[in-house]
């Protein structure tokens, strides 16, 4: 099996999973297996936080991010539960960040990992992990967009004589991410292009509502990335 490592941005979450007391961990486990699945970690935090008031909201977010990364690891690397437990336990034991952990705490980590992977396999955090993985399974992922509108003057043949007319030009800026990192590109649009784009986007929203209705009738949960119960 390949050697696993704990990325720096998940180290705090892993530490908190190890350090919280047993009663609180069991309540956390119950919460993430029973709560409505959310794609967004922030939405999961909002839903779970009232049930775990002893955990600071920022800490809870770190814990949930770490747990979701564990489920993502299982999916992406096609690992068995035992392989994940052994691999992450070994990773923690050789990582200087966790050098103050006792043998008892390391054993506790293995036990809690096992419980998470078995009891939460079809829970909210596992489902959200799979959903996020599917959302990112593309060559390019849209991060942001913006349309900039400006006026382009058309000068007379003799520039000093002034402006003969003007164009209204729209520039669509797309920020996206691919395997090489963050990238952007620009596309020039006229007003007719904007109307066509607007119609296509509106049609996509109508299709979303139709599919949503079909999923409801089939009793299939719609995992809306932007859904927030609050």
């Amino acid at each position: 099996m390949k050697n696993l490592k704990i990325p720096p941005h998940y180290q705090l979450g892993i530490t908190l999973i190890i350090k919280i007391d047993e009663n609180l961990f069991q309540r956390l486990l119950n919460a993430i297996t029973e709560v409505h699945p959310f794609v967004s970690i922030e939405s999961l935090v909002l839903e779970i936080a009232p049930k775990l008031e002893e955990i600071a909201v920022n800490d809870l977010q770190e814990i949930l991010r770490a747990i979701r990364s564990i489920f993502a690891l299982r999916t992406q690397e096609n690992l068995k539960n035992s392989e994940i437990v052994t691999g992450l336990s070994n990773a923690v034991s050789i990582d200087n960040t966790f050098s103050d952990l006792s043998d008892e705490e390391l054993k506790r980590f293995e036990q809690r990992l096992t419980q998470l992977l078995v009891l939460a396999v079809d829970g909210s955090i596992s489902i959200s992990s799979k959903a996020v993985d599917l959302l990112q399974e593309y060559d390019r992922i849209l991060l942001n967009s913006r349309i900039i509108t400006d006026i382009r003057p058309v000068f007379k043949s003799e520039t000093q004589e002034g402006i003969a007319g003007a164009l209204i030009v729209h520039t669509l800026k797309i920020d996206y991410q691919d395997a090489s990192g963050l990238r952007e590109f620009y596309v020039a649009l006229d007003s007719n292009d904007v109307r066509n784009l607007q119609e296509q986007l509106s049609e996509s929203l109508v299709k979303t509502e139709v599919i949503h209705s079909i999923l409801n009738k089939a009793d299939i949960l719609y995992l809306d990335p932007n859904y927030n119960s609050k």
Side-chain angles (χ1 to χ4, degrees), residues 36-67:
H36 174 93
F38 295 93
V39 175
S40 162
I41 281 289
E42 289 75 16
S43 296
L44 274 171
V45 170
L46 286 174
E47 189 73 9
I48 293 174
K51 303 176 182 179
L52 301 163
E53 294 180 349
E54 300 93 327
I55 304 178
V57 171
N58 288 342
D59 287 348
L60 181 58
Q61 182 164 297
E62 294 294 336
I63 290 171
L64 293 177
R65 287 188 190 281
I67 293 174

Side-chain angles (χ1 to χ4, degrees), residues 35-39 122-124 127-128 131 211-212 214-224 227:
V35 72
H36 174 93
F38 295 93
V39 175
D122 287 321
S124 175
I127 293 172
S128 73
I211 295 173
H212 189 189
I214 293 171
L215 291 175
N216 280 339
K217 291 177 181 178
D219 196 26
I220 297 173
L221 179 64
Y222 169 43
L223 295 169
D224 184 351
Y227 178 75

